[in-house]
Every structure is written in C-alpha cells, then in structure tokens.
Amino acid sequence: MNATAALRAQQRYRDDAVLSATPERLVTMLYDRLMLDIERGEAAQRSGDWTEANTQLQHAQAIVAELTSSLSNDWTGSTGLRALYAFLTQTLISANVGRDPERTRSCHELVAPLRQAWHEAAGTLVGAVSGASAS
C-alpha cells in the first residue's frame, strides 16, 4: 500500500468513526481534539512557528464554536457553559494574536478538567445503557 492509499484509508477510518459515534462520544472526540490543538498551538508558539500556532489555535476556536452550537437551551447548565466557551474563545484569540504561550497554557488548564468530566459523564452514560440493556 503506497502512502497516498494509506492516508486515504486513515481518513476513511476517521470519517467512519465520526459518522458512527454516539452524541456523547462525539463530544469527547471534540474535547480530545481541542486539547490536542491547544497543546500543538502552545508548542508551536514556544518554538516560534507562528503559522502553525495560528492554524492550531484557529482550529481550537472552531471546535469551541461547535461545542457552543451543540448546547441545548433546555439544559440548566448551558448558560454557564456557554459563558465559559465565550471566555475560552476570547482567550484563544488573544493568545494567538498576542503570540502568548502562557495564555494558551491557561486554555489548556481550563479545558483539561472539562475534558475529563465529559469523558466520565460519557462513561457513566454508556455504563447505564449497558446495565439497562442487560436487565
């Protein structure tokens, strides 16, 4: 298999994973990628690769926008999470424009516990569904 075919197969696998994912799995996938983008953005900033930092931090902003748009107004926690996402977006923008890896690091510190909480919630939901179907 040549490199191009391998890349196409890898992309097809990722596409299939997204298309077949449950809603809770999609949220955890978004958080995983958000963390990766922030980490890559910070690393690029620290090495002075401003083009790569910009690419990573803009992608992180797009993910936050997607997370924001997925919030249900019926959920009581959506107002607080929407405000947190707005703060995160502003901090990502200022970290990018200001070329400030410390601000980018603060985004990482903000997202890490959220990512963990969503993973735990998704795991709890999967466990509850599995337990209910076993009954």
Side-chain angles (χ1 to χ4, degrees):
M1 180 183 292
N2 66 31
T4 303
L7 287 174
R8 276 196 303 262
Q10 189 178 40
Q11 183 61 46
R12 197 169 34 252
Y13 172 80
R14 279 193 297 262
D15 291 347
D16 289 347
V18 169
L19 291 172
S20 64
T22 61
E24 58 275 4
R25 178 67 183 126
L26 286 173
V27 172
T28 60
M29 290 169 78
L30 285 169
Y31 267 98
D32 290 345
R33 182 55 197 255
L34 177 58
M35 287 293 290
L36 182 63
D37 288 347
I38 291 170
E39 289 166 356
R40 287 177 175 172
E42 181 186 355
Q45 285 177 315
R46 294 198 187 279
S47 69
D49 186 349
W50 305 115
T51 301
E52 181 63 16
N54 180 57
T55 298
Q56 296 298 324
L57 295 177
Q58 283 190 351
H59 193 259
Q61 292 167 44
I63 291 172
V64 175
E66 183 62 31
L67 289 167
T68 302
S69 72
S70 72
L71 290 173
S72 167
N73 290 328
D74 297 337
W75 178 51
T76 57
S78 66
T79 302
L81 201 49
R82 190 171 278 109
L84 189 134
Y85 288 157
F87 175 78
L88 180 59
T89 298
Q90 288 298 48
T91 306
L92 284 165
I93 291 168
S94 65
N96 194 11
V97 171
R99 296 182 170 185
D100 186 347
E102 293 308 318
R103 271 192 234 160
T104 304
R105 167 56 48 184
S106 72
C107 291
H108 183 278
E109 292 169 0
L110 180 66
V111 171
L114 286 170
R115 177 188 170 273
Q116 183 63 35
W118 281 109
H119 272 274
E120 289 173 8
T124 300
L125 183 59
V126 168
V129 169
S130 296
S133 64
S135 301

